[in-house]
């Protein structure tokens, strides 16, 4: 696709910095380079150049210039990257000079990537993965985004579409040549067996979204227990700072308080909650309601009990995974029978058991990820399209429907899969997807 205007942006991070990278893409790129720095350098080779102002011939800066002639560039157009000194004034003078050329303007957020997509350099899934790679905070997020950007997911969907298109072709052949028995019944049986298999694969793939959410948004750990059980003390010990207020007054914590941990590269969100007890005050009751709601949505609940003063707390409503933790170990005489009631016994005073508990949280999170496959849908958008395509595939299996309708359901299913990677009709999605990017990407 040919764009008339050339776009320019600072592609590197916050200024001042040692080096700043300015990126230019579009049909004016060659002219701009030649005007500001002399002849075009060899493709993809870094050269040291002075960059001159058109107005008074002043040198604005010296730096490295790399020229990537289209179509072998990130956007598919002529692209140049200028590595210059990362000072505020240097960069603003250079950007002002560049956008002073005719048909050259500042890029919108994500516009370079959008051009890459329009020119067939990236598909939508890879584009989204690239946005995630740029925003990755933890090593697990980086590795996951890297894998998605490599395109394994797009290959999987392309393979599914191929199977569907083949199935549809065979079914249509059966419709067209029914009388001539050119398509033996056994072929149709094989096709329907394969589409049934595909439906299972898609279903399993959709289930993997939970694992993707854990990687992207974090593994949610919620600390629950009676007032004074030591919940806030545990949160502070895990955070290694005073994130929550700790007093000996029962009911100190009224609201939810989150901290974020990086455990072995995984993002873990730990939430402190209001103590669970019967007949709380009005404000406390709201806190308890919130605690229960968060506990129900948690990936893991740490249920704390003060070993020196155990309280009866109703936790039957807890459906998910939980670890029972005995606290204030330092206050009690050793008693094996009492120890055996808990998965872990800890003391914030002595630090006993905290490291083991952290390790257990990490292992629980890793186990959840290991259970999912390698290729996961990583946007709600993917899941919605997958679910819709699965509905059509299920409908296609319905032997009560005429063959024509079943074939049409296969076509609809393939189209929806095509929308995930952008192979089919996605104009309406583009603004949403590219707005996730920063300027210069
Ligand atoms: N001896 C001892 N005291 C502890 C330990 N952990 C917590 N405490 C004390 O127990 C009291 C309550 O601790 P918190 O961490 O505020 O308990 P909580 O469960 O958050 O309490 P609420 O906010 O009221 O629900 C404080 O005085 C803590 O210093 C421990 O391991 N040993």
């Amino acid at each position: 696709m040919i764009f008339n205007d050339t776009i320019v942006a600072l592609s590197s991070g916050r200024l001042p910095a040692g080096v700043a990278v300015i990126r230019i893409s579009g049909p004016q790129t060659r002219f701009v380079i030649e005007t500001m720095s002399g002849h075009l350098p060899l493709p993809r080779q870094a050269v040291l150049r002075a960059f001159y102002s058109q107005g008074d011939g002043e040198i604005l800066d010296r730096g490295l210039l790399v020229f990537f002639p289209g179509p072998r560039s990130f956007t598919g157009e002529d692209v140049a990257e200028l590595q210059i000194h990362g000072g505020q004034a240097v960069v603003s003078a250079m950007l002002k000079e560049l956008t002073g050329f005719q048909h050259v303007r500042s890029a919108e957020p994500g516009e370079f990537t959008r051009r890459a997509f329009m020119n067939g350099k990236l598909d939508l899934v890879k584009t989204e993965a690239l946005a995630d790679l740029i925003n990755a905070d933890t090593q697990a997020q980086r590795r996951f985004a890297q894998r998605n950007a490599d395109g394994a997911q797009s290959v999987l969907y392309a393979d599914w579409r191929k199977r569907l298109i083949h199935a549809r072709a065979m079914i249509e052949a059966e419709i067209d040549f029914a009388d001539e028995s050119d398509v033996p019944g056994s072929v149709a049986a094989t096709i329907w067996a394969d589409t049934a298999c595909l439906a299972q694969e898609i279903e399993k793939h959709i289930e993997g979204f939970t694992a993707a959410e854990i990687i992207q948004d974090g593994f949610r750990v919620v600390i629950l227990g009676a007032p004074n059980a030591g919940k806030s003390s545990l949160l502070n010990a895990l955070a290694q700072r005073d994130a929550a207020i700790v007093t000996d007054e029962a009911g100190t914590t009224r609201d939810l308080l989150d901290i974020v941990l990086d455990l072995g590269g995984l993002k873990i969100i730990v939430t402190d909650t209001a103590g669970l007890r019967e007949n709380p005050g009005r404000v406390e009751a709201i806190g308890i309601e919130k605690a229960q709601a968060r506990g129900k949505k948690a990936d893991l609940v740490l249920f704390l009990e003060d070993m020196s003063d155990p309280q009866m707390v109703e936790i039957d409503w807890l459906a998910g995974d939980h670890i029972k933790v005995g606290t204030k170990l330092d206050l009690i005489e050793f008693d094996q029978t009492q120890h055996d009631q808990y998965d872990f016994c800890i003391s914030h005073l002595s630090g006993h058991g905290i490291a083991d508990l952290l390790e257990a949280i990490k292992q629980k999170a890793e186990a959840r990820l290991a259970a999912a496959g390698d290729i996961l849908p990583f946007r709600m958008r993917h899941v919605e399209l997958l679910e819709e395509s699965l509905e059509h595939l299920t409908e296609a299996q319905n032997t009560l429907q005429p063959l024509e309708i079943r074939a049409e359901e296969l076509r609809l299913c393939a189209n929806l899969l095509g929308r995930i990677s952008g192979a089919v009709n996605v104009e309406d999605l583009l603004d949403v997807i590219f707005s996730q990017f920063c300027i210069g990407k």
Side-chain angles (χ1 to χ4, degrees), residues 225-234 245-253 272-275 327-331 346-349:
N228 258 347
K231 300 181 294 300
S232 302
S233 302
L234 175 59
I245 302 168
V246 171
T247 71
D248 55 6
E249 199 176 305
T252 305
T253 307
D272 185 17
T273 62
T327 61
K328 308 191 190 179
L329 182 65
D330 54 284
L331 290 183
I346 61 171
S347 163
H348 301 116
L349 276 192

Side-chain angles (χ1 to χ4, degrees), residues 339-350:
H339 263 62
D340 291 346
Q341 293 172 20
Y342 303 100
D343 299 309
F344 287 89
C345 296
I346 61 171
S347 163
H348 301 116
L349 276 192
S350 70

Side-chain angles (χ1 to χ4, degrees), residues 309-375:
D309 180 21
Q311 308 281 317
M312 272 298 290
V313 176
E314 188 57 66
I315 51 163
D316 286 358
W317 49 271
L318 252 186
D321 197 6
H322 66 277
I323 292 179
K324 198 167 175 200
V325 183
T327 61
K328 308 191 190 179
L329 182 65
D330 54 284
L331 290 183
I332 58 157
E333 295 286 319
F334 179 77
D335 173 353
Q336 189 64 48
T337 326
Q338 193 185 14
H339 263 62
D340 291 346
Q341 293 172 20
Y342 303 100
D343 299 309
F344 287 89
C345 296
I346 61 171
S347 163
H348 301 116
L349 276 192
S350 70
H352 181 96
I354 306 273
D356 292 343
L357 183 58
L358 262 178
E359 184 58 28
I361 296 171
K362 184 171 150 235
Q363 282 179 10
K364 290 264 185 195
E366 285 173 349
R368 285 286 293 278
L369 299 183
D374 260 359
I375 305 172

Side-chain angles (χ1 to χ4, degrees), residues 228-400:
N228 258 347
K231 300 181 294 300
S232 302
S233 302
L234 175 59
L235 185 92
N236 289 343
L238 297 178
Q240 295 184 339
R241 65 187 161 90
D242 285 343
I245 302 168
V246 171
T247 71
D248 55 6
E249 199 176 305
T252 305
T253 307
R254 301 284 179 94
D255 211 340
L256 303 175
L257 178 66
D258 289 344
I259 57 155
V260 177
L261 303 177
D262 183 335
L263 281 188
L266 257 179
K267 180 175 174 181
I268 313 274
I269 302 168
V270 187
T271 307
D272 185 17
T273 62
L276 305 171
R277 68 166 150 195
E278 302 289 324
N279 308 320
R282 238 181 62 209
V283 179
E284 220 182 333
I286 299 171
I288 291 176
E289 230 169 80
K290 284 191 184 181
Q292 290 185 335
R294 189 66 76 90
K296 282 178 189 159
K297 283 196 291 185
D299 294 305
L300 175 68
V301 165
L302 303 181
F303 179 68
L304 269 53
E305 191 167 79
D306 180 347
M307 295 169 85
S308 67
D309 180 21
Q311 308 281 317
M312 272 298 290
V313 176
E314 188 57 66
I315 51 163
D316 286 358
W317 49 271
L318 252 186
D321 197 6
H322 66 277
I323 292 179
K324 198 167 175 200
V325 183
T327 61
K328 308 191 190 179
L329 182 65
D330 54 284
L331 290 183
I332 58 157
E333 295 286 319
F334 179 77
D335 173 353
Q336 189 64 48
T337 326
Q338 193 185 14
H339 263 62
D340 291 346
Q341 293 172 20
Y342 303 100
D343 299 309
F344 287 89
C345 296
I346 61 171
S347 163
H348 301 116
L349 276 192
S350 70
H352 181 96
I354 306 273
D356 292 343
L357 183 58
L358 262 178
E359 184 58 28
I361 296 171
K362 184 171 150 235
Q363 282 179 10
K364 290 264 185 195
E366 285 173 349
R368 285 286 293 278
L369 299 183
D374 260 359
I375 305 172
L376 311 172
F378 59 93
R379 286 279 190 281
M380 202 53 210
R381 177 182 86 79
H382 305 173
V383 173
E384 282 164 8
L385 288 167
L386 286 162
E387 280 174 345
E388 227 184 302
S389 65
L390 189 59
E391 278 169 27
H392 288 292
L393 193 52
T394 310
E395 213 32 57
Q397 314 285 331
N398 183 352
T399 50
L400 298 175

